[in-house]
Amino acid sequence: MMDELAEPPSDGMLGGLQKATQRYLDKTTIWVRSRWSAFVVLLVVYAVRVYILQGFFIVTYGLGIYLLNLLIGFLSPAVDPDLEGPGLPTTDREEFRPFDRKLPEFKFWMSAFRAVLSAFTMTFFSAFDLPVFWPILFAYFLVLVFLTLKDRVRHMLKHRYVPISMGKQTYGELTKTKASGGGGEKDSK
């Protein structure tokens, strides 16, 4: 009877592996530059492998479309003002509300990293190397990138939001306070 209630050994090992993986992923949340650097390195390694093999263009095209979709989600607000009313301030007099993304940065990185890793793994199997005329795929991909990003930039300009912030905003002399001379200095006459 105790054996029926016990967890199978494979589930216990899988659960432990999932917990360990999650623990390491949680530790990487503060290392933004390191995570994105690792992603860029993996993407370059993938591109070099595709270039050397001269194949897997369908896999690369699918990867590009998926990464474009992730980028659009990253640049989009969680609440679309066109569909659900104005969620973002449209004038300087309105209350400031921080930009809330549809796809948070960590999930964007994690999904993109997994996608490139999956595409890289596919390059080891010839079943995914379908013969195609790659210049047409490349041209179609560039048209998609141009059209979707043009639409996204137009949406940003219409609703006056900037989804990317570069560090902490400073206000120069406005926030600096000057200490008054307490008892340390004496008037010299």
PDB file of all heavy atoms in Angstrom, residues 82-112:
ATOM      1  N   ASP A  82      -5.738  51.122 -28.061  1.00  0.00           N
ATOM      2  CA  ASP A  82      -6.724  51.124 -29.143  1.00  0.00           C
ATOM      3  C   ASP A  82      -7.938  50.257 -28.807  1.00  0.00           C
ATOM      4  O   ASP A  82      -9.052  50.559 -29.197  1.00  0.00           O
ATOM      5  CB  ASP A  82      -6.096  50.624 -30.446  1.00  0.00           C
ATOM      6  CG  ASP A  82      -5.137  51.633 -31.036  1.00  0.00           C
ATOM      7  OD1 ASP A  82      -5.268  52.839 -30.735  1.00  0.00           O
ATOM      8  OD2 ASP A  82      -4.245  51.214 -31.803  1.00  0.00           O
ATOM      9  N   LEU A  83      -7.713  49.174 -28.074  1.00  0.00           N
ATOM     10  CA  LEU A  83      -8.790  48.226 -27.779  1.00  0.00           C
ATOM     11  C   LEU A  83      -9.464  48.463 -26.435  1.00  0.00           C
ATOM     12  O   LEU A  83     -10.666  48.280 -26.305  1.00  0.00           O
ATOM     13  CB  LEU A  83      -8.240  46.797 -27.816  1.00  0.00           C
ATOM     14  CG  LEU A  83      -7.599  46.351 -29.132  1.00  0.00           C
ATOM     15  CD1 LEU A  83      -7.021  44.960 -28.975  1.00  0.00           C
ATOM     16  CD2 LEU A  83      -8.590  46.413 -30.264  1.00  0.00           C
ATOM     17  N   GLU A  84      -8.693  48.868 -25.426  1.00  0.00           N
ATOM     18  CA  GLU A  84      -9.226  48.940 -24.071  1.00  0.00           C
ATOM     19  C   GLU A  84      -9.189  50.342 -23.484  1.00  0.00           C
ATOM     20  O   GLU A  84      -9.169  50.512 -22.275  1.00  0.00           O
ATOM     21  CB  GLU A  84      -8.445  47.981 -23.176  1.00  0.00           C
ATOM     22  CG  GLU A  84      -8.568  46.542 -23.650  1.00  0.00           C
ATOM     23  CD  GLU A  84      -7.801  45.591 -22.759  1.00  0.00           C
ATOM     24  OE1 GLU A  84      -7.592  45.911 -21.586  1.00  0.00           O
ATOM     25  OE2 GLU A  84      -7.434  44.519 -23.238  1.00  0.00           O
ATOM     26  N   GLY A  85      -9.132  51.346 -24.316  1.00  0.00           N
ATOM     27  CA  GLY A  85      -9.117  52.716 -23.805  1.00  0.00           C
ATOM     28  C   GLY A  85      -7.717  53.158 -23.461  1.00  0.00           C
ATOM     29  O   GLY A  85      -6.782  52.370 -23.454  1.00  0.00           O
ATOM     30  N   PRO A  86      -7.566  54.437 -23.140  1.00  0.00           N
ATOM     31  CA  PRO A  86      -6.220  54.956 -22.882  1.00  0.00           C
ATOM     32  C   PRO A  86      -5.644  54.434 -21.574  1.00  0.00           C
ATOM     33  O   PRO A  86      -6.120  54.770 -20.497  1.00  0.00           O
ATOM     34  CB  PRO A  86      -6.425  56.468 -22.840  1.00  0.00           C
ATOM     35  CG  PRO A  86      -7.858  56.653 -22.492  1.00  0.00           C
ATOM     36  CD  PRO A  86      -8.587  55.460 -23.059  1.00  0.00           C
ATOM     37  N   GLY A  87      -4.642  53.607 -21.661  1.00  0.00           N
ATOM     38  CA  GLY A  87      -3.962  53.111 -20.477  1.00  0.00           C
ATOM     39  C   GLY A  87      -2.668  53.844 -20.237  1.00  0.00           C
ATOM     40  O   GLY A  87      -2.112  53.816 -19.155  1.00  0.00           O
ATOM     41  N   LEU A  88      -2.179  54.529 -21.275  1.00  0.00           N
ATOM     42  CA  LEU A  88      -0.940  55.278 -21.156  1.00  0.00           C
ATOM     43  C   LEU A  88      -1.254  56.767 -21.139  1.00  0.00           C
ATOM     44  O   LEU A  88      -2.197  57.208 -21.778  1.00  0.00           O
ATOM     45  CB  LEU A  88      -0.024  54.965 -22.350  1.00  0.00           C
ATOM     46  CG  LEU A  88       0.412  53.516 -22.497  1.00  0.00           C
ATOM     47  CD1 LEU A  88       1.096  53.306 -23.832  1.00  0.00           C
ATOM     48  CD2 LEU A  88       1.356  53.141 -21.375  1.00  0.00           C
ATOM     49  N   PRO A  89      -0.473  57.565 -20.414  1.00  0.00           N
ATOM     50  CA  PRO A  89      -0.716  59.004 -20.411  1.00  0.00           C
ATOM     51  C   PRO A  89      -0.452  59.591 -21.794  1.00  0.00           C
ATOM     52  O   PRO A  89       0.505  59.224 -22.461  1.00  0.00           O
ATOM     53  CB  PRO A  89       0.278  59.543 -19.383  1.00  0.00           C
ATOM     54  CG  PRO A  89       1.194  58.448 -19.053  1.00  0.00           C
ATOM     55  CD  PRO A  89       0.612  57.175 -19.545  1.00  0.00           C
ATOM     56  N   THR A  90      -1.328  60.490 -22.230  1.00  0.00           N
ATOM     57  CA  THR A  90      -1.177  61.085 -23.558  1.00  0.00           C
ATOM     58  C   THR A  90      -0.734  62.535 -23.481  1.00  0.00           C
ATOM     59  O   THR A  90      -0.360  63.106 -24.492  1.00  0.00           O
ATOM     60  CB  THR A  90      -2.496  60.989 -24.344  1.00  0.00           C
ATOM     61  OG1 THR A  90      -3.528  61.592 -23.574  1.00  0.00           O
ATOM     62  CG2 THR A  90      -2.835  59.548 -24.653  1.00  0.00           C
ATOM     63  N   THR A  91      -0.777  63.139 -22.310  1.00  0.00           N
ATOM     64  CA  THR A  91      -0.295  64.508 -22.140  1.00  0.00           C
ATOM     65  C   THR A  91       0.635  64.551 -20.944  1.00  0.00           C
ATOM     66  O   THR A  91       0.690  63.619 -20.134  1.00  0.00           O
ATOM     67  CB  THR A  91      -1.451  65.499 -21.914  1.00  0.00           C
ATOM     68  OG1 THR A  91      -2.091  65.183 -20.678  1.00  0.00           O
ATOM     69  CG2 THR A  91      -2.456  65.459 -23.049  1.00  0.00           C
ATOM     70  N   ASP A  92       1.356  65.661 -20.810  1.00  0.00           N
ATOM     71  CA  ASP A  92       2.282  65.807 -19.694  1.00  0.00           C
ATOM     72  C   ASP A  92       1.562  65.992 -18.365  1.00  0.00           C
ATOM     73  O   ASP A  92       2.135  65.771 -17.310  1.00  0.00           O
ATOM     74  CB  ASP A  92       3.198  67.013 -19.935  1.00  0.00           C
ATOM     75  CG  ASP A  92       4.146  66.769 -21.094  1.00  0.00           C
ATOM     76  OD1 ASP A  92       4.356  65.594 -21.438  1.00  0.00           O
ATOM     77  OD2 ASP A  92       4.672  67.755 -21.658  1.00  0.00           O
ATOM     78  N   ARG A  93       0.307  66.388 -18.398  1.00  0.00           N
ATOM     79  CA  ARG A  93      -0.427  66.675 -17.171  1.00  0.00           C
ATOM     80  C   ARG A  93      -1.043  65.421 -16.546  1.00  0.00           C
ATOM     81  O   ARG A  93      -1.485  65.453 -15.412  1.00  0.00           O
ATOM     82  CB  ARG A  93      -1.506  67.708 -17.437  1.00  0.00           C
ATOM     83  CG  ARG A  93      -0.932  69.028 -17.892  1.00  0.00           C
ATOM     84  CD  ARG A  93      -2.038  70.055 -18.074  1.00  0.00           C
ATOM     85  NE  ARG A  93      -1.539  71.257 -18.694  1.00  0.00           N
ATOM     86  CZ  ARG A  93      -1.025  72.272 -18.041  1.00  0.00           C
ATOM     87  NH1 ARG A  93      -0.933  72.213 -16.730  1.00  0.00           N
ATOM     88  NH2 ARG A  93      -0.600  73.343 -18.677  1.00  0.00           N
ATOM     89  N   GLU A  94      -1.096  64.332 -17.292  1.00  0.00           N
ATOM     90  CA  GLU A  94      -1.679  63.108 -16.750  1.00  0.00           C
ATOM     91  C   GLU A  94      -0.699  62.417 -15.814  1.00  0.00           C
ATOM     92  O   GLU A  94       0.501  62.642 -15.871  1.00  0.00           O
ATOM     93  CB  GLU A  94      -2.057  62.158 -17.892  1.00  0.00           C
ATOM     94  CG  GLU A  94      -3.254  62.624 -18.683  1.00  0.00           C
ATOM     95  CD  GLU A  94      -3.670  61.595 -19.709  1.00  0.00           C
ATOM     96  OE1 GLU A  94      -3.677  60.400 -19.364  1.00  0.00           O
ATOM     97  OE2 GLU A  94      -3.962  61.982 -20.838  1.00  0.00           O
ATOM     98  N   GLU A  95      -1.250  61.557 -14.989  1.00  0.00           N
ATOM     99  CA  GLU A  95      -0.437  60.812 -14.031  1.00  0.00           C
ATOM    100  C   GLU A  95       0.515  59.883 -14.766  1.00  0.00           C
ATOM    101  O   GLU A  95       0.142  59.209 -15.729  1.00  0.00           O
ATOM    102  CB  GLU A  95      -1.358  59.998 -13.120  1.00  0.00           C
ATOM    103  CG  GLU A  95      -0.621  59.142 -12.118  1.00  0.00           C
ATOM    104  CD  GLU A  95      -1.555  58.251 -11.321  1.00  0.00           C
ATOM    105  OE1 GLU A  95      -2.779  58.398 -11.454  1.00  0.00           O
ATOM    106  OE2 GLU A  95      -1.050  57.414 -10.589  1.00  0.00           O
ATOM    107  N   PHE A  96       1.755  59.811 -14.276  1.00  0.00           N
ATOM    108  CA  PHE A  96       2.743  58.917 -14.870  1.00  0.00           C
ATOM    109  C   PHE A  96       2.427  57.480 -14.488  1.00  0.00           C
ATOM    110  O   PHE A  96       2.189  57.170 -13.329  1.00  0.00           O
ATOM    111  CB  PHE A  96       4.149  59.266 -14.389  1.00  0.00           C
ATOM    112  CG  PHE A  96       5.169  58.253 -14.803  1.00  0.00           C
ATOM    113  CD1 PHE A  96       5.619  58.191 -16.107  1.00  0.00           C
ATOM    114  CD2 PHE A  96       5.648  57.322 -13.893  1.00  0.00           C
ATOM    115  CE1 PHE A  96       6.547  57.244 -16.497  1.00  0.00           C
ATOM    116  CE2 PHE A  96       6.572  56.371 -14.274  1.00  0.00           C
ATOM    117  CZ  PHE A  96       7.020  56.345 -15.584  1.00  0.00           C
ATOM    118  N   ARG A  97       2.401  56.632 -15.476  1.00  0.00           N
ATOM    119  CA  ARG A  97       2.244  55.204 -15.249  1.00  0.00           C
ATOM    120  C   ARG A  97       3.384  54.499 -15.960  1.00  0.00           C
ATOM    121  O   ARG A  97       3.631  54.765 -17.134  1.00  0.00           O
ATOM    122  CB  ARG A  97       0.907  54.706 -15.794  1.00  0.00           C
ATOM    123  CG  ARG A  97      -0.231  55.044 -14.842  1.00  0.00           C
ATOM    124  CD  ARG A  97      -1.556  54.775 -15.465  1.00  0.00           C
ATOM    125  NE  ARG A  97      -2.017  56.081 -15.976  1.00  0.00           N
ATOM    126  CZ  ARG A  97      -2.804  56.237 -16.993  1.00  0.00           C
ATOM    127  NH1 ARG A  97      -3.244  55.214 -17.642  1.00  0.00           N
ATOM    128  NH2 ARG A  97      -3.153  57.442 -17.399  1.00  0.00           N
ATOM    129  N   PRO A  98       4.098  53.616 -15.295  1.00  0.00           N
ATOM    130  CA  PRO A  98       5.221  52.956 -15.946  1.00  0.00           C
ATOM    131  C   PRO A  98       4.747  52.065 -17.090  1.00  0.00           C
ATOM    132  O   PRO A  98       3.613  51.590 -17.100  1.00  0.00           O
ATOM    133  CB  PRO A  98       5.865  52.134 -14.832  1.00  0.00           C
ATOM    134  CG  PRO A  98       4.812  51.978 -13.809  1.00  0.00           C
ATOM    135  CD  PRO A  98       3.904  53.171 -13.929  1.00  0.00           C
ATOM    136  N   PHE A  99       5.631  51.852 -18.041  1.00  0.00           N
ATOM    137  CA  PHE A  99       5.311  51.020 -19.189  1.00  0.00           C
ATOM    138  C   PHE A  99       5.258  49.564 -18.751  1.00  0.00           C
ATOM    139  O   PHE A  99       6.223  49.028 -18.217  1.00  0.00           O
ATOM    140  CB  PHE A  99       6.370  51.218 -20.273  1.00  0.00           C
ATOM    141  CG  PHE A  99       6.068  50.456 -21.530  1.00  0.00           C
ATOM    142  CD1 PHE A  99       5.103  50.916 -22.406  1.00  0.00           C
ATOM    143  CD2 PHE A  99       6.733  49.288 -21.828  1.00  0.00           C
ATOM    144  CE1 PHE A  99       4.818  50.225 -23.559  1.00  0.00           C
ATOM    145  CE2 PHE A  99       6.456  48.596 -22.982  1.00  0.00           C
ATOM    146  CZ  PHE A  99       5.493  49.062 -23.854  1.00  0.00           C
ATOM    147  N   ASP A 100       4.124  48.941 -18.957  1.00  0.00           N
ATOM    148  CA  ASP A 100       3.931  47.533 -18.612  1.00  0.00           C
ATOM    149  C   ASP A 100       3.905  46.739 -19.914  1.00  0.00           C
ATOM    150  O   ASP A 100       3.032  46.937 -20.753  1.00  0.00           O
ATOM    151  CB  ASP A 100       2.618  47.369 -17.841  1.00  0.00           C
ATOM    152  CG  ASP A 100       2.464  45.994 -17.248  1.00  0.00           C
ATOM    153  OD1 ASP A 100       3.488  45.313 -17.029  1.00  0.00           O
ATOM    154  OD2 ASP A 100       1.313  45.592 -17.008  1.00  0.00           O
ATOM    155  N   ARG A 101       4.876  45.863 -20.088  1.00  0.00           N
ATOM    156  CA  ARG A 101       5.029  45.123 -21.339  1.00  0.00           C
ATOM    157  C   ARG A 101       4.079  43.927 -21.433  1.00  0.00           C
ATOM    158  O   ARG A 101       3.735  43.316 -20.434  1.00  0.00           O
ATOM    159  CB  ARG A 101       6.444  44.581 -21.465  1.00  0.00           C
ATOM    160  CG  ARG A 101       7.494  45.631 -21.461  1.00  0.00           C
ATOM    161  CD  ARG A 101       8.872  44.993 -21.534  1.00  0.00           C
ATOM    162  NE  ARG A 101       9.896  45.963 -21.309  1.00  0.00           N
ATOM    163  CZ  ARG A 101      10.275  46.859 -22.198  1.00  0.00           C
ATOM    164  NH1 ARG A 101       9.701  46.887 -23.356  1.00  0.00           N
ATOM    165  NH2 ARG A 101      11.214  47.721 -21.917  1.00  0.00           N
ATOM    166  N   LYS A 102       3.748  43.600 -22.671  1.00  0.00           N
ATOM    167  CA  LYS A 102       2.986  42.384 -22.920  1.00  0.00           C
ATOM    168  C   LYS A 102       3.867  41.162 -22.643  1.00  0.00           C
ATOM    169  O   LYS A 102       3.405  40.156 -22.126  1.00  0.00           O
ATOM    170  CB  LYS A 102       2.510  42.363 -24.373  1.00  0.00           C
ATOM    171  CG  LYS A 102       1.571  41.233 -24.694  1.00  0.00           C
ATOM    172  CD  LYS A 102       1.142  41.270 -26.140  1.00  0.00           C
ATOM    173  CE  LYS A 102       0.149  42.375 -26.373  1.00  0.00           C
ATOM    174  NZ  LYS A 102      -0.438  42.337 -27.713  1.00  0.00           N
ATOM    175  N   LEU A 103       5.155  41.269 -22.991  1.00  0.00           N
ATOM    176  CA  LEU A 103       6.115  40.190 -22.766  1.00  0.00           C
ATOM    177  C   LEU A 103       7.283  40.751 -21.964  1.00  0.00           C
ATOM    178  O   LEU A 103       8.063  41.549 -22.477  1.00  0.00           O
ATOM    179  CB  LEU A 103       6.609  39.631 -24.109  1.00  0.00           C
ATOM    180  CG  LEU A 103       7.607  38.487 -24.051  1.00  0.00           C
ATOM    181  CD1 LEU A 103       6.968  37.252 -23.427  1.00  0.00           C
ATOM    182  CD2 LEU A 103       8.124  38.163 -25.436  1.00  0.00           C
ATOM    183  N   PRO A 104       7.438  40.367 -20.702  1.00  0.00           N
ATOM    184  CA  PRO A 104       8.543  40.889 -19.884  1.00  0.00           C
ATOM    185  C   PRO A 104       9.910  40.489 -20.450  1.00  0.00           C
ATOM    186  O   PRO A 104      10.034  39.500 -21.174  1.00  0.00           O
ATOM    187  CB  PRO A 104       8.319  40.238 -18.513  1.00  0.00           C
ATOM    188  CG  PRO A 104       6.914  39.785 -18.517  1.00  0.00           C
ATOM    189  CD  PRO A 104       6.549  39.500 -19.934  1.00  0.00           C
ATOM    190  N   GLU A 105      10.932  41.235 -20.075  1.00  0.00           N
ATOM    191  CA  GLU A 105      12.276  41.032 -20.615  1.00  0.00           C
ATOM    192  C   GLU A 105      12.804  39.629 -20.348  1.00  0.00           C
ATOM    193  O   GLU A 105      13.377  38.998 -21.226  1.00  0.00           O
ATOM    194  CB  GLU A 105      13.229  42.094 -20.028  1.00  0.00           C
ATOM    195  CG  GLU A 105      14.653  42.014 -20.532  1.00  0.00           C
ATOM    196  CD  GLU A 105      15.554  41.133 -19.689  1.00  0.00           C
ATOM    197  OE1 GLU A 105      15.280  40.968 -18.490  1.00  0.00           O
ATOM    198  OE2 GLU A 105      16.525  40.593 -20.246  1.00  0.00           O
ATOM    199  N   PHE A 106      12.642  39.114 -19.134  1.00  0.00           N
ATOM    200  CA  PHE A 106      13.184  37.795 -18.822  1.00  0.00           C
ATOM    201  C   PHE A 106      12.498  36.707 -19.651  1.00  0.00           C
ATOM    202  O   PHE A 106      13.159  35.810 -20.170  1.00  0.00           O
ATOM    203  CB  PHE A 106      13.040  37.486 -17.328  1.00  0.00           C
ATOM    204  CG  PHE A 106      13.703  36.201 -16.929  1.00  0.00           C
ATOM    205  CD1 PHE A 106      15.069  36.152 -16.734  1.00  0.00           C
ATOM    206  CD2 PHE A 106      12.961  35.039 -16.775  1.00  0.00           C
ATOM    207  CE1 PHE A 106      15.694  34.958 -16.386  1.00  0.00           C
ATOM    208  CE2 PHE A 106      13.580  33.848 -16.422  1.00  0.00           C
ATOM    209  CZ  PHE A 106      14.946  33.804 -16.222  1.00  0.00           C
ATOM    210  N   LYS A 107      11.184  36.803 -19.796  1.00  0.00           N
ATOM    211  CA  LYS A 107      10.471  35.802 -20.610  1.00  0.00           C
ATOM    212  C   LYS A 107      10.860  35.931 -22.082  1.00  0.00           C
ATOM    213  O   LYS A 107      10.940  34.923 -22.792  1.00  0.00           O
ATOM    214  CB  LYS A 107       8.959  35.943 -20.437  1.00  0.00           C
ATOM    215  CG  LYS A 107       8.478  35.473 -19.089  1.00  0.00           C
ATOM    216  CD  LYS A 107       6.974  35.520 -18.994  1.00  0.00           C
ATOM    217  CE  LYS A 107       6.518  35.027 -17.632  1.00  0.00           C
ATOM    218  NZ  LYS A 107       5.065  35.016 -17.516  1.00  0.00           N
ATOM    219  N   PHE A 108      11.097  37.155 -22.524  1.00  0.00           N
ATOM    220  CA  PHE A 108      11.572  37.387 -23.888  1.00  0.00           C
ATOM    221  C   PHE A 108      12.916  36.694 -24.082  1.00  0.00           C
ATOM    222  O   PHE A 108      13.121  35.949 -25.045  1.00  0.00           O
ATOM    223  CB  PHE A 108      11.687  38.892 -24.127  1.00  0.00           C
ATOM    224  CG  PHE A 108      12.243  39.303 -25.462  1.00  0.00           C
ATOM    225  CD1 PHE A 108      12.000  38.584 -26.613  1.00  0.00           C
ATOM    226  CD2 PHE A 108      13.008  40.447 -25.566  1.00  0.00           C
ATOM    227  CE1 PHE A 108      12.502  38.990 -27.842  1.00  0.00           C
ATOM    228  CE2 PHE A 108      13.520  40.863 -26.783  1.00  0.00           C
ATOM    229  CZ  PHE A 108      13.273  40.124 -27.914  1.00  0.00           C
ATOM    230  N   TRP A 109      13.850  36.913 -23.153  1.00  0.00           N
ATOM    231  CA  TRP A 109      15.166  36.287 -23.254  1.00  0.00           C
ATOM    232  C   TRP A 109      15.053  34.760 -23.200  1.00  0.00           C
ATOM    233  O   TRP A 109      15.670  34.058 -24.007  1.00  0.00           O
ATOM    234  CB  TRP A 109      16.082  36.774 -22.124  1.00  0.00           C
ATOM    235  CG  TRP A 109      17.348  35.996 -22.063  1.00  0.00           C
ATOM    236  CD1 TRP A 109      18.447  36.148 -22.856  1.00  0.00           C
ATOM    237  CD2 TRP A 109      17.643  34.900 -21.184  1.00  0.00           C
ATOM    238  NE1 TRP A 109      19.396  35.229 -22.516  1.00  0.00           N
ATOM    239  CE2 TRP A 109      18.931  34.451 -21.496  1.00  0.00           C
ATOM    240  CE3 TRP A 109      16.931  34.268 -20.171  1.00  0.00           C
ATOM    241  CZ2 TRP A 109      19.530  33.388 -20.823  1.00  0.00           C
ATOM    242  CZ3 TRP A 109      17.528  33.217 -19.504  1.00  0.00           C
ATOM    243  CH2 TRP A 109      18.812  32.786 -19.837  1.00  0.00           C
ATOM    244  N   MET A 110      14.280  34.263 -22.264  1.00  0.00           N
ATOM    245  CA  MET A 110      14.164  32.814 -22.091  1.00  0.00           C
ATOM    246  C   MET A 110      13.561  32.160 -23.330  1.00  0.00           C
ATOM    247  O   MET A 110      14.061  31.130 -23.799  1.00  0.00           O
ATOM    248  CB  MET A 110      13.298  32.517 -20.850  1.00  0.00           C
ATOM    249  CG  MET A 110      13.312  31.084 -20.433  1.00  0.00           C
ATOM    250  SD  MET A 110      14.957  30.657 -19.864  1.00  0.00           S
ATOM    251  CE  MET A 110      14.912  28.925 -20.133  1.00  0.00           C
ATOM    252  N   SER A 111      12.513  32.737 -23.873  1.00  0.00           N
ATOM    253  CA  SER A 111      11.887  32.173 -25.076  1.00  0.00           C
ATOM    254  C   SER A 111      12.818  32.251 -26.271  1.00  0.00           C
ATOM    255  O   SER A 111      12.915  31.300 -27.063  1.00  0.00           O
ATOM    256  CB  SER A 111      10.586  32.910 -25.387  1.00  0.00           C
ATOM    257  OG  SER A 111       9.680  32.765 -24.338  1.00  0.00           O
ATOM    258  N   ALA A 112      13.525  33.373 -26.418  1.00  0.00           N
ATOM    259  CA  ALA A 112      14.454  33.528 -27.531  1.00  0.00           C
ATOM    260  C   ALA A 112      15.616  32.549 -27.397  1.00  0.00           C
ATOM    261  O   ALA A 112      16.042  31.923 -28.385  1.00  0.00           O
ATOM    262  CB  ALA A 112      14.963  34.963 -27.594  1.00  0.00           C
TER     263      ALA A 112
END
